[in-house]
Amino acid sequence: MTNTSVHSHTPHQEHHLHSSDFISDIVIGMSDGLTVPFALAAGLSGAVANSSLVVTAGIAEIVAGSIAMGLGGYLAGRTEADHYSSELRREINEVETVPEREKEEVREIFADMGLSPALQITIADELSKDKAKWVDFMMKYELGLDEPDPNRATKSALTIGLSYVVGGLIPLSPYFLISNPFDSLLYSCGITLICLFVFGYFKSKVTDQPPVAGAFKVMVIGALAAAAAFGVAKLIS
Amino acid sequence: MTNTSVHSHTPHQEHHLHSSDFISDIVIGMSDGLTVPFALAAGLSGAVANSSLVVTAGIAEIVAGSIAMGLGGYLAGRTEADHYSSELRREINEVETVPEREKEEVREIFADMGLSPALQITIADELSKDKAKWVDFMMKYELGLDEPDPNRATKSALTIGLSYVVGGLIPLSPYFLISNPFDSLLYSCGITLICLFVFGYFKSKVTDQPPVAGAFKVMVIGALAAAAAFGVAKLIS
């Protein structure tokens, strides 16, 4: 459930993503929240006699999943911020102490873009005149790092965790009301598949994908996970 | 449990990441696999009388979680590939039909880097001489996209799913052998916390973080999730 810990973004796309980090976190949390507790409840419905046990297991899963995902998101955010600070210190130091090597690195970046050696040298000379701008350039284009929002980690943790809880309570809700787990399962399937479809539709809109196809994909994943969990739990119980 | 669907990488870091996509997938799958089934089993241990029910719920969770994460990873990979192809077609078309606008976009990229207007024009003129190189430049630096590995989606799905299963079976193993769930929980805590520590150590090594601090962080998340699930399940059962 870690989301960005081992990945980073282009400066260009990062700009675009900043405005939708919040929505991206909701998608991450709710996607799993709707799917995993739904499948777990479905699995247990084929194996136990009373809904109250499904509720207990479902709530335990929601608590476990939201903490694992929320804290995972928090640590990923903190790691990103720490990484940025330490790389920034290093670049500032390198521009001061080994400027020629840093200029060579600038030239290499433009060589990778396919520019001529003469142009590479002109650019490196121009960039290195302003040290603040130069460090900024190295952070963005050598390392691909943007300055992270200092409150991102906390906001991300809360958004992902709460979205998981909200998503998870939807498939579980019939089990609170109906004591026969198989009857609860029928209602749970109906409600959850509709919610997965609607959620998949908006998720696809946000990530710029064909919305109806995306809605079906999300719904099918949920249905497959639930069917598999039901089958396996029935087999071993 | 989607991992890369709404994010993308810099060309520079992507190069570095390609070699460790496999390891990154293992980390994603095992991180959740060790944590969530562990916490679910812990939660149920405080609420049920027999280990066999913990095993049923745990297996159902592992099936549900591995499918949700594996298929999630597969779809994220497919979406990335589709997105690349459609953007590539668009850039090829734009370079042919609206070259002046595309040259303006090249200039804007270098304006963002802090280069002078004269240099921006020189670079745009040079790049636009070779159309293949030009399209390649726009894909990488305007859109921040790298050509994805065509088999990435399938490999990613299998790696994430299997890592989740392997991770999930570790905390569950004592419940297979010991019928009293509370006794099983003690062994499960011992084994899983050690595994989380070892896993956190290697995860931190791979993501270039301080390994011992990272190992403690991963272990603490697992312990918190398990303790919270245990407490909440005890309260409601």
Side-chain angles (χ1 to χ4, degrees):
Chain A
M1 294 160 181
T2 48
N3 48 329
T4 55
S5 54
V6 290
H7 296 288
S8 75
H9 323 144
T10 55
H12 179 84
Q13 290 224 337
E14 181 68 15
H15 186 70
H16 169 74
L17 281 170
H18 257 306
S19 59
S20 63
D21 272 347
F22 178 66
I23 289 167
S24 155
D25 285 342
I26 291 177
V27 165
I28 290 167
M30 194 163 281
S31 176
D32 289 0
L34 276 169
T35 309
V36 182
F38 170 50
L40 173 68
L44 285 177
S45 299
V48 301
N50 197 294
S51 287
S52 69
L53 214 71
V54 180
V55 168
T56 304
I59 296 283
E61 210 287 334
I62 290 172
V63 170
S66 60
I67 289 178
M69 287 196 82
L71 279 184
Y74 177 77
L75 289 184
R78 280 290 302 273
T79 299
E80 207 182 323
D82 290 349
H83 183 58
Y84 185 86
S85 317
S86 75
E87 291 293 332
L88 183 64
R89 276 195 303 274
R90 203 167 73 181
E91 286 300 332
I92 289 171
N93 185 264
E94 284 178 358
V95 160
E96 287 295 337
T97 55
V98 284
E100 283 310 314
R101 210 179 66 195
E102 289 298 288
K103 270 171 107 165
E104 185 54 42
E105 287 179 4
V106 173
R107 286 196 288 273
E108 276 165 23
I109 291 168
F110 291 98
D112 280 348
M113 289 181 185
L115 298 183
S116 65
L119 209 43
Q120 292 164 30
I121 290 166
T122 315
I123 296 169
D125 286 343
E126 186 171 311
L127 265 180
S128 59
K129 277 178 202 151
D130 181 339
K131 275 182 185 161
K133 203 185 260 181
W134 190 9
V135 167
D136 196 46
F137 174 85
M138 297 307 276
M139 290 302 289
K140 276 195 185 167
Y141 295 93
E142 188 203 355
L143 302 173
L145 296 175
D146 263 291
E147 192 168 2
D149 175 352
N151 298 318
R152 172 99 180 91
T154 311
K155 279 192 286 191
S156 189
L158 289 174
T159 311
I160 293 175
L162 284 176
S163 303
Y164 192 91
V165 171
V166 171
L169 287 175
I170 292 169
L172 220 57
S173 53
Y175 296 89
F176 286 102
L177 307 169
I178 305 162
S179 66
N180 181 317
F182 198 78
D183 292 343
S184 308
L185 176 58
L186 295 180
Y187 285 98
S188 179
C189 284
I191 299 166
T192 310
L193 293 178
I194 291 168
C195 286
L196 281 168
F197 191 88
V198 172
F199 167 76
Y201 185 89
F202 285 105
K203 178 185 169 180
S204 306
K205 280 260 180 193
V206 166
T207 54
D208 214 17
Q209 302 300 316
V212 177
F216 273 107
K217 278 182 196 171
V218 167
M219 198 176 71
V220 166
I221 291 182
L224 279 179
F230 184 88
V232 171
K234 194 113 196 153
L235 263 178
I236 61 164
S237 71
Chain B
M1 293 162 182
T2 47
N3 48 328
T4 57
S5 56
V6 290
H7 296 285
S8 73
H9 323 147
T10 55
H12 179 85
Q13 292 223 334
E14 182 68 15
H15 185 69
H16 169 75
L17 282 169
H18 258 305
S19 59
S20 63
D21 272 348
F22 178 66
I23 288 167
S24 154
D25 285 342
I26 292 179
V27 166
I28 290 167
M30 194 162 282
S31 176
D32 290 1
L34 275 169
T35 309
V36 183
F38 169 50
L40 174 67
L44 284 176
S45 299
V48 302
N50 199 293
S51 288
S52 69
L53 214 72
V54 180
V55 168
T56 305
I59 296 284
E61 211 286 337
I62 290 173
V63 170
S66 61
I67 290 178
M69 286 196 83
L71 279 183
Y74 177 77
L75 289 183
R78 281 290 303 274
T79 299
E80 206 182 324
D82 290 350
H83 184 58
Y84 185 86
S85 318
S86 75
E87 291 293 332
L88 183 63
R89 279 195 302 275
R90 203 166 75 179
E91 285 299 332
I92 289 170
N93 185 267
E94 284 178 358
V95 161
E96 286 296 336
T97 56
V98 284
E100 283 310 313
R101 211 180 63 195
E102 290 297 287
K103 271 171 106 166
E104 184 54 41
E105 287 179 3
V106 173
R107 286 195 287 273
E108 275 165 24
I109 291 168
F110 291 99
D112 279 348
M113 289 182 186
L115 298 184
S116 66
L119 210 42
Q120 293 164 31
I121 292 168
T122 315
I123 296 169
D125 286 343
E126 185 171 312
L127 264 180
S128 59
K129 277 178 203 152
D130 181 339
K131 275 182 185 162
K133 202 185 260 183
W134 191 7
V135 167
D136 195 46
F137 174 86
M138 298 307 277
M139 291 301 290
K140 275 196 186 168
Y141 294 94
E142 189 202 355
L143 302 173
L145 296 175
D146 264 290
E147 192 167 3
D149 175 353
N151 298 318
R152 171 99 180 89
T154 312
K155 278 191 286 188
S156 190
L158 290 174
T159 312
I160 292 175
L162 284 177
S163 303
Y164 193 91
V165 172
V166 171
L169 287 175
I170 292 169
L172 221 55
S173 53
Y175 295 89
F176 286 101
L177 307 169
I178 305 164
S179 66
N180 180 318
F182 197 78
D183 291 344
S184 309
L185 176 58
L186 295 181
Y187 285 97
S188 179
C189 284
I191 299 166
T192 311
L193 293 178
I194 291 168
C195 286
L196 282 168
F197 191 89
V198 172
F199 167 76
Y201 185 88
F202 286 106
K203 178 185 169 182
S204 305
K205 280 258 180 195
V206 165
T207 55
D208 213 16
Q209 300 301 315
V212 176
F216 272 107
K217 280 181 194 169
V218 167
M219 197 177 71
V220 166
I221 291 181
L224 279 179
F230 184 88
V232 172
K234 194 111 195 154
L235 264 177
I236 61 165
S237 70

